[in-house]
Amino acid sequence: MIYLIEERCDYCGVCVSVCVPNVIELKETSIKILDGCTNCKLCIYVCPFEAIKENERRV
Amino acid sequence: MKEEYDIIIVGGGPAGSTSAFYAASKGVKVLLLDKRRDIGFPVRCAEGVGEAGLKEFMEPDPRWAVNKISTFRLVAPDGSKVTLKERECCYILDRRVFDYMLAGMAAEKGTEIMTRMYANGIIMEDGNVKGVTAEYLGKKFSIRSKIVIGADGVESRVGRWCGIKSNTILRDIESCAQVTISSKRIDSSFSDFYFGKNIAPGGYAWVFPKNKYIANVGVGISGIYSKNKSPLVYLDEFLKNHFPDASILTRIAGGIPCASPLNKIVNNGLMLVGDAAHQANPITGGGIINAMKAGRIAGRIAAEAVIKGDVTEKMLKKYPQEWNNSVGEINKRCYRIKKVVFRLSDRTLNRLARVLSEIPPEKLTLKDIFISALKKYPPIVIDAIKVFK
C-alpha cells in the first residue's frame, strides 16, 4: 500500500499527474488516496520531496 | 454565486484567468473556481517568461516584472560555459503579484471568482459536460454551465473525469524542486542553465535572479530518473557546490508535463488549457505564455460557442485547430528535439560547450547551439531550424 509522510508533502500535485487510475485527490493542503490504487508506485517515483512511501503511515 | 453560468473555469493560474478574461470580454457569464485560499500562492514556478510573448498581452510592469535579463549562460557538466546574448530578453516575474493581476483583470470584465472552492467532479448528461460538483468550506455544491474549461494545472483531473487521458507518462513529467535563496554569489545580469547527468538527468538546473541578492534556484529531472534520486537531493548538492552561503527563503516542489501535446483537448462542453492540456514547451518547461496564448483562444471560442448555442465538440474543435497552427506544431517539434537533446552524453555536452564557447556571445544563437548539438540527427536538425527561426 501507498502511504504519505505528511510532514514532507508540499501538495504540489506531481503524483496526481502520473496517477493512471486517477485516484489521488489533492486539495490545498490535504491528499487522499481513493479506492482503486493499483500500487504501481509511479507517485513514489516522481514525488520531488520523497513524501510518498510504502508501508509508512497510512493517509 | 449563482446556480448556473455560461462557462465555469476550474483553476486560477495564467491559463484559467486568461480564458476568463477573453470569455467575459464577450459578455458571457463566467465563474472561475480555485481550490487555493489565494490566487497565485503558493508559487510553483521558476517565474521566467520571454519578452515577445509577454508583450502580446501587456507591457511589463515593475510591480510584477522584477528583473530583465538578456544574457544567458549554458553550463556543461565539466563547468564550461557558453554565453549567448539573445535578441529577445526574458523577464523574471513575481508570480504572486502577476497571477493576482490576471485574475483581477478577468474580474474587471465580469468574471465571478471563488477561491477555496474545490471542484471534485463533473456533471455529465447524455455524454455532454453540464457543470461541476464542488466543495466550499465543507459544503457541497452542484453548479451548472454550458462549458467547463479545465485549467487545473499539472494535477489536472477535469479531463480524466470526461474520458480524456491527460495523465503524464513517467518519462515526460519533470519532477522539480526549487528554492528562492539570498546569496552574495548571485549575478543578477545572467540566467544560468546547468546540464549533466549528475546535476539534472533528463532536465536541467536553473538560476533565475530576481535581483542582486535573491534568485530562484531549481532542479527539474525526468520522472524516469527521480525514481533513483529525488530532485530535492540533486538541488541540495547543487546549492552546496554553487551557493554554499545561501539562505533559503522558500522551498517548493512542483512538476511540469514536458510532453507531446495531447491529441484531444476538447469534448462536448469541455475544454482543457495550460498544463492540464500539456501545453508547456517540452524542452524548456516554460508554460506561462503558452498557457495565456491557449487561454486567449479557448476563452474567445468558448464565448462564441455559448453565444451561438452550439457547445458540441465539433464547434469547440476550433480551439485545438487554432492552437496547433500557432504553438502546438512548434511544441511537437520541440518534443522530438527534447527526446534527443536530453539523451546526449556528458562527454558530448562538454565537447560542444568548448567549441561554442569560442564564439562571441552576440554572434551565437540558440539555433546555432541546437544545430551543433543535433548534427548527427538530420531530421531533428530540420525541427530545430523551424523552431529557432
Side-chain angles (χ1 to χ4, degrees), chain B residues 261-263 319-330 332:
Chain B
L262 289 178
N263 290 326
Y319 155 54
Q321 282 162 3
E322 272 194 43
W323 166 256
N324 286 331
N325 290 339
S326 54
V327 184
E329 285 303 320
I330 296 170
K332 278 184 192 166

Side-chain angles (χ1 to χ4, degrees), chain B residues 15-30:
Chain B
S17 288
T18 308
S19 302
F21 174 85
Y22 283 96
S25 297
K26 294 250 178 196
V28 298
K29 285 188 293 182
V30 181

Side-chain angles (χ1 to χ4, degrees), chain B residues 300-315:
Chain B
R300 175 173 49 76
I301 287 175
E304 286 170 5
V306 167
I307 292 163
K308 277 188 180 174
D310 178 3
V311 297
T312 60
E313 181 179 346
K314 190 179 171 193
M315 170 69 191

Side-chain angles (χ1 to χ4, degrees), chain B residues 2-28:
Chain B
K2 303 174 191 72
E3 289 180 354
E4 188 162 357
Y5 291 82
D6 292 318
I7 299 169
I8 294 174
I9 298 168
V10 181
S17 288
T18 308
S19 302
F21 174 85
Y22 283 96
S25 297
K26 294 250 178 196
V28 298

Side-chain angles (χ1 to χ4, degrees), chain B residues 69 115 120 145-146 155 157 196 268 282 301 352-353 372:
Chain B
I69 298 168
T115 56
N120 59 8
S145 66
K146 298 180 179 80
E155 68 263 43
R157 298 176 76 207
N268 293 325
I301 287 175
L352 269 170
S372 302

Side-chain angles (χ1 to χ4, degrees), chain A residues 17, chain B residues 165-169 257 259-262 274-280 323 331:
Chain A
S17 180
Chain B
K165 284 189 177 174
S166 61
N167 59 295
T168 313
I169 62 169
S260 188
L262 289 178
D275 279 351
H278 298 187
Q279 289 169 330
W323 166 256
N331 274 7

Side-chain angles (χ1 to χ4, degrees), chain B residues 116-118 120 134-142:
Chain B
R116 296 195 75 158
M117 179 68 97
Y118 174 67
N120 59 8
E135 289 174 27
Y136 174 71
L137 302 179
K139 284 187 180 174
K140 293 183 177 169
F141 294 85
S142 289

